[in-house]
Amino acid sequence: YTSAQTVTLSDATSGATIHCTIDGSTPSGSSPVCGSLTVSSTTTIKAIGTKAGSNNSAVASATYTISSGTTPINFGSGFTSSGLQLNGNATINGTRLRLTDGGGTEAGSAFFTTAVNVQNFTTDFRFQLTTPNADGMAFVIQNNGPTALGPAGGGLGYGPDTAGAAPFAGMSKSVAVKFDLYSNSGEGTDSTGLYTAGASPTTPFLDMTSSGVNLHSGDIFNVHMSYDGTTLKMTITDANNSAQTFTTSWTVNIPSIVGGNTALVGFTGGTGGLTAIQEVVSWTYNVTSVTKTPIVYETEKLPAASSGPPFRTLSWGGFPDGVGTILDSTKVGDNVTFTVNVAQAGIYDVQVSVKKFTLRSIWQLTVNGVNVGPQEDEYNPSEAYAVFDLGNVNISAAGNYSFKFTVVGKNSAATDWKMAFDTIKLTPQ
């Protein structure tokens, strides 16, 4: 949406009370009561319906993105200081964003002051390097704050200028793509590359020389980037000769690295003993939409290990496919661990479907030893299918993860300690 919205929440069950949260946490019966909300900035609303004598509803969740149209950043006709935080040597020169002005040992950065969605996007910018002797510039996505600014020289205002040096802590939550004029650590004088967490923007690198793209030409360069949640693609073209173009891509999980689905975006630049005037001529940033497909794991098909009690398949007509699993636990501390293989790093919403009954306990989920979501009670006076939304988990790298369900107690009305499961569902955020 391009302006504030009023969001109305309703429940088809007569007499239900709706509780909601807007801070990313899972709502409960103690969360604020919500009928309608005014959303003036990008917000995720999570809500449940409650009614005495009935089970709570599943968690409903929706994100409302508020931006100035489909282009939250639009300096397509040139720059003003409005909406930008300028740091170090960065200034507005006419309608251009100037990162360095030709002086020695300079560092400049400029970031759009409103965080934008970085899950899926395209961005286009034009830059020109005048008297281009050293050192270069970078396009940066970061969550360290609008005043973030790294070292001068070969650090390009982003990280250390020497390969292997300790990363710059001021860019610890960041991703950068460089355009490098000078060889500090063997990267050559016409290179690009992707760097994360404030690492030195020197090596590894990609040499663009053979493509005809020459950062020392003094020409204006057009850069187009697109990100689909998995792959960041970049094409740079000499505006004076469209045949001189270089295209590459990197597999990268940007939200995981920067620590959120939104971040600050902008540019950094640096000079050392040799110098350049480095300017961004124009810039637009567009948020794109990509459908996120949930990954559903049937617990009876997952590798599982019990702490001791029998763990078995459970047949029940209330499961969508008629079959689930049950741990015949008898006390606090009994647990079952499922090995879940996640093929792609990212931030995922976790939902667990269960069979509630009188024989059930209260459990806590941990993923690789870290609590995820609140304690959940499987007790119900009669057999019932339910889905618990446990909130988000950060899968930092593809691979196997231990989803461990541990008995932590039981409802005073419960007559046993068992836990029963159907599926574990991970939805990319």
Side-chain angles (χ1 to χ4, degrees):
Y1 301 95
T2 59
S3 60
Q5 299 292 308
T6 299
V7 180
T8 301
L9 295 88
S10 62
D11 195 314
T13 301
S14 177
T17 301
I18 298 173
H19 302 265
C20 76
T21 62
I22 59 172
D23 62 358
S25 62
T26 301
S28 66
S30 60
S31 299
V33 175
C34 303
S36 64
L37 299 170
T38 299
V39 178
S40 57
S41 61
T42 298
T43 303
T44 297
I45 301 174
K46 293 186 176 183
I48 61 169
T50 66
K51 184 177 181 180
S54 300
N55 295 330
N56 291 351
S57 73
V59 175
S61 178
T63 298
Y64 295 82
T65 301
I66 311 297
S67 65
S68 54
T70 58
T71 309
I73 301 175
N74 190 351
F75 294 106
S77 299
F79 288 87
T80 67
S81 60
S82 177
L84 287 177
Q85 171 69 43
L86 304 174
N87 306 303
N89 293 97
T91 61
I92 300 299
N93 179 45
T95 60
R96 294 186 172 197
L97 168 60
R98 177 171 286 186
L99 298 169
T100 62
D101 62 11
T105 316
E106 293 187 340
S109 70
F111 292 101
F112 194 65
T113 54
T114 301
V116 296
N117 192 290
V118 295
Q119 294 171 283
N120 304 277
F121 63 83
T122 62
T123 188
D124 292 89
F125 55 90
R126 306 172 73 220
F127 71 87
Q128 185 172 31
L129 310 178
T130 307
T131 59
N133 297 308
D135 271 276
M137 56 172 284
F139 171 74
V140 177
I141 300 170
Q142 55 93 8
N143 261 328
N144 289 93
T147 60
L149 176 62
L156 310 184
Y158 176 73
D161 65 1
T162 303
F168 175 62
M171 291 286 186
S172 60
K173 301 177 181 179
S174 67
V175 174
V177 175
K178 74 165 182 179
F179 305 92
D180 195 342
L181 288 163
Y182 187 78
S183 184
N184 294 86
S185 300
E187 68 269 32
T189 60
D190 191 41
S191 67
T192 188
L194 182 140
Y195 306 88
T196 64
S200 174
T202 51
T203 62
F205 66 94
L206 296 170
D207 190 342
M208 298 188 292
T209 305
S210 62
S211 69
V213 170
N214 178 9
L215 296 177
H216 291 263
S217 67
D219 293 343
I220 290 176
F221 292 94
N222 300 326
V223 177
H224 174 75
M225 293 185 185
S226 64
Y227 182 63
D228 62 5
T230 302
T231 304
L232 178 63
K233 299 179 180 178
M234 187 274 290
T235 299
I236 179 172
T237 304
D238 190 317
N240 290 348
N241 186 344
S242 60
Q244 295 175 351
T245 186
F246 180 84
T247 297
T248 191
S249 64
W250 300 274
T251 300
V252 59
N253 190 315
I254 294 175
S256 178
I257 293 170
V258 303
N261 294 333
T262 63
L264 302 174
V265 293
F267 302 90
T268 69
T271 65
L274 298 177
T275 66
I277 296 174
Q278 304 183 86
E279 296 178 321
V280 185
V281 179
S282 63
W283 177 35
T284 60
Y285 183 99
N286 297 274
V287 176
T288 57
S289 177
V290 174
T291 301
K292 300 293 188 178
T293 303
I295 309 162
V296 179
Y297 303 87
E298 299 285 348
T299 56
E300 71 274 9
K301 298 178 181 179
L302 288 172
S306 165
S307 62
F311 176 71
R312 55 190 172 87
T313 298
L314 175 66
S315 297
W316 179 54
F319 289 135
D321 63 351
V323 64
T325 57
I326 188 167
L327 182 74
D328 294 323
S329 39
T330 61
K331 62 183 183 303
V332 169
D334 286 347
N335 61 80
V336 60
T337 300
F338 298 99
T339 299
V340 178
N341 184 269
V342 186
Q344 182 178 318
I347 297 173
Y348 293 84
D349 176 72
V350 182
Q351 292 186 347
V352 178
S353 58
V354 304
K355 178 192 176 185
K356 286 189 166 187
F357 199 30
T358 56
L359 308 174
R360 302 295 184 257
S361 64
I362 300 171
W363 49 255
Q364 173 69 59
L365 170 65
T366 61
V367 177
N368 281 11
V370 178
N371 284 357
V372 174
Q375 297 178 359
E376 298 290 0
D377 189 354
E378 284 192 12
Y379 170 79
N380 200 65
S382 58
E383 295 179 313
Y385 186 76
V387 178
F388 296 127
D389 190 322
L390 304 179
N392 290 345
V393 62
N394 185 358
I395 301 298
S396 59
N400 289 332
Y401 286 78
S402 296
F403 281 61
K404 182 179 180 180
F405 296 85
T406 302
V407 175
V408 295
K410 71 180 180 69
N411 192 293
S412 60
T415 57
D416 210 338
W417 301 81
K418 302 179 188 293
M419 297 185 288
F421 306 98
D422 182 27
T423 63
I424 298 170
K425 182 168 75 171
L426 303 181
T427 304
Q429 299 299 291

